[in-house]
Amino acid sequence: MIKIEGLHKSFGELEVLKGIDYEINEKEIICVIGPSGSGKSTFLRCINMLEEITAGSVFIDGVKVNDPKTNINDIRKDVGMVFQQFNLFPHMKVLDNITVSPRKVKNMDAKEAEILARQLLEKVGLADKANAYPEQLSGGQMQRVAIARALAMKPRVMLFDEPTSALDPEMVKEVLDVMKQLAYEGMTMVVVTHEMGFAREMCDRVLFMDQGLLMEEGTPAQIFNHPNHERTKAFLSKVL
Ligand SMILES: Nc1ncnc2c1ncn2[C@@H]1O[C@H](COP(=O)(O)OP(=O)(O)OP(=O)(O)O)[C@@H](O)[C@H]1O
């Protein structure tokens, strides 16, 4: 479903991704782990062209995302993204945060968008918060709204960039539970995370990135119990 070929990304002189090849199949849950600054977020952001790709290619169902002929809006419809800092619109009520993209990008009519938003709020356990403003919500609730907002575009794949890193510990579980529900429903997901428990329990493949390279990948059992690479071992010895 997603094919990444020779992916390079530089910011000026700084080469952040140094040639990554990987394929992600439909319904797979991929967790990306690695030290701070290893390029995990950049890797994710290249998949939906939030970052311009310096060299190499990303294909989604055969469509090259970094082809000038590809409509970026089509990519954004297919690929939902959830950020560490929620990125909700502060001046909009929760309901409007969720309806705005389907209305603007997909021309969905107001009533249909509202029905969809209410269904999604139900799904993330926030049916009673439709009329609240983001500042009236906890961090965990804001992140669940952000997930609902991304789902409103009916994406085929969801990217999560450290979705629980900005949350107080007691709120982490409520967000991970929503993500687990999505995984059980068959959503394809790529998750940059420091939550090793989630990675171990939920994902099909773990990617260990270090210094802009995909150092090692495998099932959670392989990576967590029998890592091959010295750098993987060193990283896991610090975080497990
Ligand atoms: N827009 C940017 N301009 C310049 N440098 C950037 C930009 N975005 C990221 N970088 C640099 O790229 C490198 C990789 O950053 P990235 O955020 O992808 O790493 P990461 O593995 O996700 O780190 P963390 O776990 O701390 O979030 C870092 O050195 C970072 O400073």
Side-chain angles (χ1 to χ4, degrees):
M1 179 191 191
I2 302 178
K3 190 171 183 193
I4 296 150
E5 278 182 357
L7 178 62
H8 284 258
K9 173 65 187 173
S10 297
F11 294 103
E13 299 281 286
L14 182 68
E15 193 183 12
V16 173
L17 300 179
K18 300 174 182 168
I20 294 185
D21 296 285
Y22 202 68
E23 281 189 45
I24 297 167
N25 297 314
E26 191 133 18
K27 300 192 176 192
E28 264 184 336
I29 313 297
I30 305 291
C31 282
V32 185
I33 63 170
S36 183
S38 54
K40 305 181 296 297
S41 295
T42 306
F43 172 69
L44 210 60
R45 292 165 66 86
C46 284
I47 293 176
N48 69 346
M49 289 291 285
L50 275 182
E51 298 292 354
E52 205 176 315
I53 292 169
T54 306
S57 309
V58 174
F59 298 90
I60 298 180
D61 287 334
V63 176
K64 186 173 168 179
V65 304
N66 55 322
D67 186 317
K69 292 196 280 298
T70 301
N71 182 345
I72 196 71
N73 272 339
D74 291 341
I75 303 296
R76 297 277 159 78
K77 279 184 218 165
D78 271 354
V79 185
M81 186 146 183
V82 174
F83 303 86
Q84 187 176 346
Q85 294 293 345
F86 328 130
N87 292 11
L88 298 179
F89 302 115
H91 59 289
M92 284 186 190
K93 289 180 178 178
V94 162
L95 192 83
D96 299 330
N97 261 282
I98 300 172
T99 58
V100 64
S101 289
R103 291 196 61 192
K104 280 201 172 151
V105 182
K106 288 193 161 175
N107 294 320
M108 196 180 276
D109 76 55
K111 193 67 209 165
E112 194 186 346
E114 181 177 338
I115 290 168
L116 173 64
R118 289 192 187 278
Q119 284 168 347
L120 290 169
L121 282 172
E122 185 88 41
K123 185 186 182 83
V124 299
L126 293 172
D128 56 336
K129 298 293 182 191
N131 290 316
Y133 283 91
E135 65 178 12
Q136 296 169 309
L137 304 180
S138 70
Q141 290 171 332
M142 279 196 269
Q143 195 58 300
R144 285 187 280 153
V145 173
I147 294 172
R149 182 179 61 175
L151 291 174
M153 293 296 280
K154 303 205 166 113
R156 302 198 44 226
V157 52
M158 287 277 281
L159 309 179
F160 291 85
D161 192 1
E162 298 191 29
T164 58
S165 295
L167 300 178
D168 291 335
E170 72 269 23
M171 291 170 193
V172 169
K173 185 176 177 301
E174 67 187 51
V175 170
L176 293 182
D177 283 347
V178 171
M179 293 169 62
K180 285 181 192 176
Q181 190 189 335
L182 287 181
Y184 290 133
E185 289 170 3
M187 176 64 80
T188 309
M189 293 164 52
V190 188
V191 185
V192 171
T193 188
H194 295 287
E195 293 292 332
M196 298 301 150
F198 178 85
R200 199 189 269 275
E201 182 190 350
M202 291 306 297
C203 72
D204 298 299
R205 315 288 301 176
V206 181
L207 312 191
F208 173 68
M209 284 186 61
D210 195 18
Q211 299 180 0
L213 293 169
L214 176 50
M215 285 283 171
E216 185 168 355
E217 77 83 39
T219 63
Q222 284 167 338
I223 296 293
F224 290 115
N225 302 341
H226 306 288
N228 280 323
H229 205 289
E230 287 309 318
R231 286 187 188 275
T232 321
K233 289 179 196 167
F235 173 74
L236 291 175
S237 72
K238 287 186 205 136
V239 297
L240 290 181

